[in-house]
């Protein structure tokens, strides 16, 4: 049923979600399920804040980088202040630094968000100048520490790094991780969210085994990249990084960071050359298990991200247009996080089926860049309808749009303000 909330009230409700989840310079994705600062959430949240409070938007990126490690890694969680209700908290990661952080990263959207904020900041470049060296260090970490042999394909060592935690993309590589721990009794997520919307216990046992493996290596970046029993090139991160490289290159060129610009050009060229290795026989891109050398069988929502990276060919765009049409006919709302015709599809379980608005935003940006504007507009409309009908949920069942996971979610509110809510929002940042 369509909600009767007037448009301007919905914009105000979205701003209220961000303000409520603001903990003073950083935003929690959702106060109950995720009570800390998350890496790519903050980048998307910054885009939301940018529609009504640019200073606060910059602050979100700045606080995220306060968690950056000396080797350049930007952790996936910064545990800014103690909070109950989340497992694995700081003690499970065992990392001795301040602020406390996790030991793995997440999709590097920050440079893209920073480029957008810079574009809105008029002539004032003080904040972007301070951020560029930090962004550059994080990109170097991906391209060097996480690509130790210089193949052009970066490695993730944990499914959570992808941000698509329990995607079918990780089924095969995770099957080779032998669970060494049983953490079912430690989980706190099931106290907040329906178990049918969350990953299984078996999944948690395997992913926490990876954390134990990294702890045994003292979290040394080079050793982690080479030795963990999960080593995958995630099509999502690979694409998001190449796109962010381009955005960072634009900034570096404009601001006179000449050396950095040179390194970025080299990484982009190397990454682009490697992309064909991720293409399956059907012409659709996939993630690659670097241990087995096998491409993922699943075609997930990440398949569209080479468009966002601008590394796809025009013929790839056509294949993706057909894929979108077919999956949309099967699912209802787009983009389902995995193919609804696939036996692994699960309409409500997290990254195995549901629609996520920030994925739609990146996919729509890519579709539009390849001239698929009708399809891009369709995703924007679907995303807007999901919020209009249900509210700012973490993710949505593609078959009927039911909200899943946690309510009042920061990045969903941010995507409404900056993109999906076309009504009454003069400051929507429709392009990335
Ligand atoms: C879940 C999502 C991840 C997100 C985090 C906080 O772990 O899979 O992408 O960053 O929640 O919202």
């Amino acid at each position: 049923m369509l909600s009767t909330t007037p448009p301007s009230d919905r914009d105000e409700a979205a701003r209220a979600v961000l303000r409520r989840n603001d903990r003073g310079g950083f935003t929690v994705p959702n106060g109950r399920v995720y009570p800390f600062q998350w890496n790519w959430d903050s980048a998307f949240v910054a885009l939301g804040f940018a529609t009504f409070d640019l200073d606060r938007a910059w602050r979100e990126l700045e606080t995220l980088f306060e968690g950056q490690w000396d080797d350049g890694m930007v952790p996936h969680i910064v545990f800014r202040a103690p909070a109950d209700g989340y497992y694995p908290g700081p003690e499970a990661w065992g990392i001795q630094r301040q602020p406390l952080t996790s030991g793995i990263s997440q999709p590097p959207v920050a440079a893209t968000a920073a480029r957008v904020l810079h574009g809105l900041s008029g002539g004032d470049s003080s904040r972007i100048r301070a951020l560029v060296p930090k962004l550059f260090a994080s990109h170097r970490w991906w391209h060097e520490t996480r690509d130790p042999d210089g193949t052009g394909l970066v490695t993730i060592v944990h499914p959570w790094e992808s941000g698509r935690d329990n995607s079918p993309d990780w089924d095969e590589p995770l099957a080779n991780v032998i669970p060494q721990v049983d953490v079912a009794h430690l989980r706190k997520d099931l106290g907040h969210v329906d178990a049918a919307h969350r990953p299984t216990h078996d999944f948690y046992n395997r992913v926490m085994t990876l954390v134990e493996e990294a702890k045994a290596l003292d979290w040394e970046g080079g050793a982690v990249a080479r030795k963990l029993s999960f080593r995958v090139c995630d099509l999502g991160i690979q694409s998001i990084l190449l796109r962010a490289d381009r955005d960072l290159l634009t900034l570096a060129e404009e601001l006179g960071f000449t050396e950095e610009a040179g390194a970025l050009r080299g990484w982009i060229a190397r990454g682009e050359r490697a992309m064909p290795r991720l293409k399956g026989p059907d012409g659709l891109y996939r993630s690659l298990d670097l241990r087995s050398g096998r491409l993922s069988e699943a075609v997930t929502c990440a398949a569209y991200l080479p468009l966002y990276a601008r590394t796809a060919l025009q013929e790839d765009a056509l294949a993706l247009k057909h894929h979108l049409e077919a999956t949309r006919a099967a699912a209802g709302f787009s983009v389902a996080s995995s193919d609804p015709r696939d036996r692994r599809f699960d309409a409500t379980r997290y990254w195995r089926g549901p629609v996520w608005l920030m994925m739609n935003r990146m996919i729509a940006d890519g579709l539009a860049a390849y001239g698929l504007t009708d399809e891009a507009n369709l995703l924007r409309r679907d995303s807007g309808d999901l919020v209009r009908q249900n509210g700012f949920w973490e993710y949505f069942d593609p078959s009927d749009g039911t909200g899943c996971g946690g309510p009042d979610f920061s990045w969903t509110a941010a995507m409404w303000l900056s993109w999906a809510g076309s009504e009454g929002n003069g400051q929507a940042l429709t392009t990335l």
Side-chain angles (χ1 to χ4, degrees):
M1 200 179 68
L2 270 178
S3 128
T4 50
T5 316
S8 55
D9 287 1
R10 204 170 284 110
D11 292 349
E12 190 41 41
R15 288 188 282 269
V17 167
L18 292 187
R19 286 197 200 98
R20 237 186 350 263
N21 290 342
D22 182 355
R23 294 289 180 275
F26 74 95
T27 308
V28 296
N30 162 292
R32 275 186 310 145
V33 194
Y34 301 107
F36 305 107
Q37 183 172 25
W38 259 259
N39 180 332
W40 71 330
D41 295 63
S42 277
F44 289 113
V45 158
L47 298 177
F49 274 121
T51 65
F52 65 99
D53 187 344
L54 191 54
D55 171 63
R56 182 61 189 76
W58 280 113
R59 198 72 204 111
E60 189 73 29
L61 296 182
E62 290 160 356
T63 55
L64 174 65
F65 277 80
E66 285 169 16
Q68 184 169 33
W69 286 19
D70 293 343
D71 67 0
M73 184 187 76
V74 183
H76 100 295
I77 306 175
V78 187
F79 298 108
R80 311 280 327 193
D84 290 332
Y86 180 78
Y87 172 81
E91 59 296 328
W93 298 88
I95 288 155
Q96 310 301 327
R97 69 179 306 290
Q98 288 297 332
L100 293 167
T101 69
S102 72
I104 56 173
S105 196
Q106 248 191 345
V109 184
T112 302
R115 206 211 75 236
V116 172
L117 302 196
H118 176 55
L120 297 169
S121 293
D124 179 4
S125 61
S126 53
R127 295 178 98 164
I128 189 65
R129 275 187 189 285
L131 211 49
V132 163
K134 298 176 187 177
L135 290 164
F136 180 76
S138 73
H139 285 225
R140 187 176 53 211
W141 176 82
W142 277 114
H143 288 292
E144 293 183 354
T145 306
R146 286 304 184 84
D147 182 10
D149 298 320
T151 63
L153 298 177
V154 299
T155 311
I156 62 166
V157 299
H158 195 293
W160 289 341
E161 288 199 307
S162 71
R164 299 182 295 119
D165 303 15
N166 66 335
S167 166
D169 282 341
W170 323 133
D171 288 1
E172 269 198 59
L174 260 193
N176 294 324
V177 176
I178 315 297
Q180 307 287 349
V181 292
D182 184 356
V183 298
H185 61 291
L186 299 172
R187 289 181 69 175
K188 304 214 171 134
D189 52 326
L190 302 181
H192 312 298
V193 179
D194 186 338
H197 296 182
R198 296 287 305 176
T200 60
H201 286 325
D202 178 65
F203 174 85
Y204 262 80
N205 290 338
R206 288 175 199 266
V207 297
M208 290 313 292
T209 295
L210 294 168
V211 172
E212 293 304 321
E213 287 181 10
K215 267 201 237 170
L217 298 169
D218 288 329
W219 293 104
E220 198 281 308
V224 165
R226 284 192 186 277
K227 295 193 179 155
L228 255 56
S229 51
F230 180 97
R231 295 192 304 278
V232 176
C233 175
D234 163 24
L235 175 59
I237 291 216
Q238 175 77 12
S239 306
I240 289 169
L241 176 64
L242 283 173
R243 168 56 191 271
D245 282 337
R246 291 186 202 283
D247 290 320
L248 191 52
L249 176 58
T250 304
L251 290 168
E253 284 172 341
E254 182 190 326
L255 299 166
F257 288 88
T258 319
E259 249 178 67
E260 288 82 352
L264 284 159
R265 281 187 210 104
W267 293 329
I268 293 168
R270 193 167 75 181
E272 279 182 343
R273 275 197 304 274
M275 287 302 286
R277 291 183 53 199
L278 303 181
K279 210 191 254 195
D282 56 0
L284 297 175
Y285 290 89
R286 293 164 160 81
S287 294
L288 175 68
D289 184 343
L290 296 168
R291 280 185 72 189
S292 69
R294 286 165 55 90
L295 287 175
S296 169
E297 281 176 15
V299 177
T300 61
C301 55
Y304 300 91
L305 293 178
L307 303 173
Y308 171 74
R310 313 292 194 262
T311 60
L313 308 174
Q314 203 58 45
E315 73 201 37
D316 300 333
L318 201 61
L320 287 165
K321 173 180 153 64
H322 292 140
H323 184 68
L324 181 65
E325 282 162 7
T327 50
R328 190 178 162 76
F333 290 95
S334 285
V335 172
S337 45
S338 81
D339 188 334
R341 300 162 299 174
D342 187 316
R343 66 187 155 77
R344 288 160 285 214
F345 174 82
D346 185 335
T348 58
R349 202 179 292 276
Y350 224 35
W351 289 96
R352 303 183 77 86
V355 178
W356 297 70
L357 256 56
M358 77 301 168
M359 285 300 300
N360 277 5
R361 170 80 180 273
M362 292 188 287
I363 294 169
D365 170 275
L367 290 166
Y370 282 76
L372 299 172
T373 32
D374 288 350
E375 287 74 10
N377 289 335
L378 189 80
L379 293 198
R380 189 172 181 201
R381 204 169 53 239
D382 270 7
S383 303
D385 286 347
L386 287 168
V387 167
R388 279 185 280 271
Q389 291 173 22
N390 303 289
F392 304 107
W393 284 85
E394 184 177 4
Y395 45 92
F396 300 88
D397 179 337
S399 58
D400 60 4
T402 304
C404 300
D408 294 337
F409 223 79
S410 296
W411 63 15
T412 308
M415 290 303 95
W416 171 266
L417 286 170
S418 63
W419 175 61
S422 50
E423 331 147 80
N425 184 357
Q427 293 194 65
L429 313 169
T430 50
T431 50
L432 275 174

